[in-house]
Amino acid sequence: MIRIQNMYKIYKMGKVEVKALDNISIHIKAKEFVAIIGPSGSGKSTLMNMIGCLDTPTSGAYYLDNKEVSKLKDDDLAEIRNKKVGFIFQRFNLLPKLTAFENVELPLIYRGISRKKRVQMVLEALEQVGLGDRIHHRPPELSGGQQQRVAIARALSSKPPLILADEPTGALDSKSGYEVINMMHKLHEMGNTIVLITHDSNIAQQAKRIIRIMDGKIVEDKEGAQ
Amino acid sequence: MNLLQAFNMALKSIASNKIRALLTMLGIVIGVSSVIILVSLGEGSSKVITERIQSMGTNLIHVRIFGRGSNRTVSEDELISLAANNSEVIENVVPSLDDTVTIKYSNKNMQTSLVGTSEAYQTVRNTNVQQGRFFSALDVERRQKVVLIGAYIANELFAGMSPIGQTIKINGDVFTVVGVLEEKAGAAQGSDDDRVIIPYTTAKRLVRNANITTFYVQAKTPDTVDSAMQKVEEFLFKKFNNTDSYRVFNQADMLNTVNETTKTLSMMLGGIAAISLVVGGIGIMNIMLVSVTERTREIGIRKAIGAKRKSILVQFLIESVVVSCLGGLIGVVFGVIGAHFIGKLMSISAQPSFTTIILSFSFSAVVGIFFGFYPADKASRLNPIEALRFE
Ligand SMILES: Nc1ncnc2c1ncn2[C@@H]1O[C@H](COP(=O)(O)OP(=O)(O)OP(=O)(O)O)[C@@H](O)[C@H]1O
Ligand SMILES: [Mg+2]
């Protein structure tokens, strides 16, 4: 599903070059559950942005479902994100003025799904994360764990094959974090490909495969304990 | 994403910050309402002037002779023969002896203007009588001391009482009131309602300058106005041998001049008001730019979950257009009400025309699109990652 070859991402800060990604090559098959770990500033988020088609690399190739996407235009990338990728961020990234329902509905609107079908899909997704009774709440009226569950519902509402989570538990207490990870497992069982970025090696241990990166390079790629 | 959904999103975001939307609209509201008020006041006053000119009489030609002395005048006989010799184009010729006089009734004194003329003045100058009668040809011939008084004078001197048959003194001479003229200009002081009309034969003995220096010619039909004017000019040139000592002008010329002047004036006023509309547009652009910066993170999120450039552009563009159109709508309401009240204050009927309303409203929509485009474009070009990092 995901094939990255010799990918570089270089930021130029004046005369200093920062290699956020330094010759990365990864292959992730469909329906895998992969954890990416590494210290702060090692390039995890940068890598996730690449995988999620939010950013384009300085050089290297990226095949998503056998299609080279690293040189596509903004709007084409937007369409791929909309159809194939569900994002879950550390800081939820919900729109504070929209209700839970409207937040989850947003990717479906951009996809152009009819209203009737949207309502059904949104309710289903919110039901799935256990928030069927909170659909008209706005993010500020929800707890952190509930907000992250709305974000998960948004990521899965349009049924994308790939779910990317960048430290989804980072802003949560251990109980809510546990619930979120549980949900990721459920999504995996339902057939989604999951890429999970985390600091927490306990959480990483639950993944089938762990990729450790440091200074923009992959230093370890192993099957998990399970 | 279709337009209806973009519209919904825009409405939601406007509704979430009502005070700001209202303040943003203010410039447009003021712009649109002042365009409507100023243009309709201009049109209203032009209508008033037009009506006043038309009420002076139909197919009317004014003649004024300049200079003093007996060689700077025409005689009644000359006027009569001018009418008789050109009867195919000229209907009537009436002289007008004008002066300012003092009139007195019981113990009330007042200054007013006097017109000495013939009985044909009634039709030539379209002067109707409200009460009593106009003086007759016989009155003129016999130099009767009869007088018609304007509505203002009837109010001032007789206050409700019927003036017909009463006597007043004009510069000391006793005159009998035979009629009251129909009100023409709101019975105001100094207007056409503030005057008295007597036979010119009588006037000759009363006024300081008894020479005829003003007369009116009525053409047979609107089509003969030009040829009648030509005949009058020929007559005057033959008499004075130059073209500088008299002026001949007709009602149509006056109407044209007035219309052109008021049209220019209306357009200037409208233009000044339109500038305020443009300033309002700059206000919209300003606020939209602030709004784009404030909502950078929102834009990043929308892009991350799949919004294309066009979706963002349309969303922000619709926001600014909705704000400016709403402002335009409120401006139309204020403009129509404002024009009505100010028109009443100035006692002219300032009815905003449909075109004025539609034009000023469409202009506000155009302003919204024009000044909303740059901020919307800026929003649509944001890089999603940088936008997501934005605090
Ligand atoms: N827009 C940018 N401009 C310049 N440098 C950047 C930019 N984005 C990332 N970097 C640099 O790239 C490197 C990797 O950043 P990245 O955000 O991927 O790290 P991370 O592994 O996600 O860290 P954390 O665990 O703290 O989230 C860092 O050194 C960072 O300074
Ligand atoms: Mg990170």
Side-chain angles (χ1 to χ4, degrees):
Chain A
M1 172 156 208
I2 293 168
R3 203 142 46 83
I4 289 173
Q5 286 166 356
N6 309 104
M7 184 181 276
Y8 288 85
K9 181 71 183 182
I10 297 165
Y11 292 107
K12 287 205 175 82
M13 307 293 283
K15 282 178 193 155
V16 189
E17 277 193 356
V18 178
K19 286 186 179 166
L21 297 181
D22 189 353
N23 197 10
I24 296 265
S25 297
I26 320 179
H27 186 101
I28 297 174
K29 291 194 283 292
K31 304 190 181 179
E32 270 196 272
F33 192 136
V34 181
I36 297 175
I37 61 172
S40 185
S42 56
K44 305 185 294 293
S45 296
T46 309
L47 181 58
M48 191 192 88
N49 291 342
M50 294 302 161
I51 295 174
C53 297
L54 269 172
D55 205 355
T56 49
T58 311
S59 71
Y62 175 21
Y63 295 90
L64 180 61
D65 285 336
N66 294 319
K67 193 180 168 215
E68 163 66 299
V69 294
S70 62
K71 289 176 186 64
L72 290 180
K73 293 227 177 59
D74 278 3
D75 277 357
D76 298 324
L77 291 176
E79 194 169 333
I80 290 174
R81 288 197 294 273
N82 187 251
K83 289 208 172 117
K84 298 196 169 166
V85 187
F87 288 98
I88 301 167
F89 300 94
Q90 178 174 0
R91 284 161 59 211
F92 322 138
N93 278 343
L94 298 171
L95 297 188
K97 282 176 181 157
L98 302 188
T99 62
F101 183 94
E102 289 164 337
N103 265 291
V104 176
E105 188 186 22
L106 220 46
L108 304 176
I109 290 177
Y110 287 126
R111 195 189 278 194
I113 291 171
S114 75
R115 184 174 166 75
K116 218 176 119 194
K117 213 156 158 224
R118 276 197 325 256
V119 172
Q120 190 195 332
M121 289 168 88
V122 171
L123 291 179
E124 198 178 301
L126 280 168
E127 208 63 65
Q128 214 173 325
V129 298
L131 286 176
D133 55 342
R134 291 281 193 284
I135 57 172
H136 295 305
H137 287 59
R138 283 167 221 282
E141 301 154 6
L142 294 169
S143 75
Q146 286 168 333
Q147 286 185 55
Q148 192 61 300
R149 280 192 275 160
V150 173
I152 294 172
R154 182 179 66 189
L156 63 84
S157 66
S158 58
K159 304 197 165 59
L162 177 61
I163 304 268
L164 299 181
D166 190 350
E167 303 196 31
T169 60
L172 301 178
D173 61 73
S174 56
K175 185 172 164 283
S176 316
Y178 178 75
E179 278 175 2
V180 165
I181 295 301
N182 252 355
M183 245 166 247
M184 307 286 295
H185 279 295
K186 249 192 247 163
L187 288 175
H188 180 230
E189 278 157 27
M190 285 162 57
N192 287 296
T193 311
I194 313 266
V195 176
L196 172 68
I197 290 171
T198 179
H199 269 121
D200 190 334
S201 50
N202 282 337
I203 291 173
Q205 290 309 319
Q206 301 182 25
K208 297 265 157 30
R209 179 179 166 194
I210 300 172
I211 297 172
R212 188 183 298 275
I213 67 173
M214 207 175 266
D215 293 334
K217 294 193 202 46
I218 295 180
V219 293
E220 190 180 38
D221 187 349
K222 64 166 189 187
E223 299 299 312
Q226 277 185 317
Chain B
M1 194 178 63
N2 64 28
L3 221 60
L4 190 74
Q5 274 146 4
F7 192 75
N8 269 333
M9 279 184 192
L11 279 190
K12 266 181 210 160
S13 106
I14 289 170
S16 71
N17 210 334
K18 292 189 192 72
I19 304 265
R20 172 186 288 188
L22 222 66
L23 287 175
T24 314
M25 271 174 222
L26 207 58
I28 300 289
V29 172
I30 292 170
V32 168
S33 51
S34 49
V35 167
I36 290 178
I37 289 173
L38 290 178
V39 170
S40 51
L41 283 182
E43 282 171 353
S45 48
S46 134
K47 213 159 75 189
V48 168
I49 296 170
T50 307
E51 273 165 13
R52 209 170 278 175
I53 291 173
Q54 271 163 351
S55 76
M56 291 188 326
T58 41
N59 314 331
L60 189 67
I61 298 164
H62 288 240
V63 181
R64 193 154 291 162
I65 298 160
F66 306 113
R68 295 210 159 262
S70 52
N71 58 337
R72 283 280 181 264
T73 178
V74 292
S75 69
E76 303 101 78
D77 295 339
E78 282 170 328
L79 292 183
I80 290 165
S81 60
L82 171 67
N85 294 343
N86 300 291
S87 57
E88 71 288 352
V89 290
I90 292 176
E91 176 78 31
N92 246 319
V93 179
V94 297
S96 175
L97 286 168
D98 304 323
D99 203 355
T100 308
V101 293
T102 310
I103 59 175
K104 189 175 175 201
Y105 174 71
S106 70
N107 58 351
K108 283 177 235 166
N109 266 309
M110 60 190 290
Q111 290 262 318
T112 187
S113 25
L114 172 127
V115 176
T117 186
S118 69
E119 77 289 346
Y121 187 91
Q122 183 178 16
T123 51
V124 173
R125 289 299 312 269
N126 194 22
T127 311
N128 292 327
V129 175
Q130 183 180 299
Q131 229 186 105
R133 60 171 179 93
F134 211 88
F135 51 73
S136 63
L138 208 65
D139 290 328
V140 177
E141 200 178 301
R142 297 206 177 144
R143 296 185 184 130
Q144 292 296 311
K145 291 188 171 175
V146 289
V147 62
L148 285 120
I149 59 176
Y152 171 70
I153 295 178
N155 286 345
E156 287 294 304
L157 292 188
F158 298 98
M161 211 170 78
S162 169
I164 309 297
Q166 303 289 331
T167 55
I168 60 172
K169 279 186 178 165
I170 303 179
N171 283 359
D173 273 9
V174 179
F175 281 74
T176 308
V177 179
V178 291
V180 178
L181 300 170
E182 198 170 69
E183 187 179 307
K184 267 194 171 178
Q189 186 169 15
S191 74
D192 266 2
D193 293 328
D194 181 6
R195 58 175 181 165
V196 295
I197 301 180
I198 60 174
Y200 73 90
T201 46
T202 325
K204 272 187 146 174
R205 302 176 164 183
L206 203 68
V207 302
R208 281 161 297 185
N209 173 20
N211 297 320
I212 298 173
T213 54
T214 303
F215 64 92
Y216 303 101
V217 178
Q218 185 182 28
K220 270 228 147 58
T221 64
D223 297 334
T224 57
V225 170
D226 284 341
S227 43
M229 259 178 100
Q230 210 176 334
K231 296 288 182 208
V232 172
E233 276 170 353
E234 274 168 23
F235 157 76
L236 290 166
F237 187 75
K238 214 183 267 174
K239 186 157 170 59
F240 298 118
N241 263 321
N242 67 55
T243 52
D244 298 333
S245 51
Y246 57 86
R247 238 188 93 200
V248 182
F249 52 97
N250 68 25
Q251 207 185 349
D253 290 345
M254 277 168 75
L255 267 181
N256 280 344
T257 316
V258 167
N259 276 345
E260 257 161 50
T261 318
T262 52
K263 208 181 249 171
T264 321
L265 210 73
S266 283
M267 264 161 59
M268 252 170 59
L269 289 175
I272 291 167
I275 290 172
S276 73
L277 208 53
V278 170
V279 173
I282 295 170
I284 288 189
M285 177 147 90
N286 197 0
I287 297 287
M288 288 307 289
L289 281 174
V290 171
S291 163
V292 167
T293 308
E294 270 182 9
R295 289 157 64 189
T296 300
R297 200 177 175 79
E298 172 191 333
I299 296 162
I301 294 169
R302 285 178 186 274
K303 285 199 143 186
I305 60 174
K308 292 188 179 172
R309 272 194 53 195
K310 204 183 102 196
S311 308
I312 304 287
L313 183 98
V314 167
Q315 183 194 341
F316 277 84
L317 206 53
I318 287 181
E319 266 181 47
S320 63
V321 171
V322 166
V323 165
S324 65
C325 284
L326 228 63
L329 220 61
I330 298 173
V332 165
V333 173
F334 281 160
V336 171
I337 295 173
H340 180 78
F341 274 106
I342 296 174
K344 232 175 194 172
L345 271 177
M346 293 169 62
S347 65
I348 51 178
S349 96
Q351 203 66 256
S353 70
F354 192 64
T355 354
T356 313
I357 291 175
I358 291 295
L359 269 181
S360 55
F361 178 73
S362 330
F363 197 52
S364 75
V366 170
V367 160
I369 294 174
F370 185 81
F371 288 100
F373 190 83
Y374 174 67
D377 186 63
K378 198 179 162 196
S380 78
R381 283 176 197 275
L382 283 179
N383 177 335
I385 300 176
E386 273 156 33
L388 279 174
R389 278 170 184 271
F390 186 83
E391 293 302 320

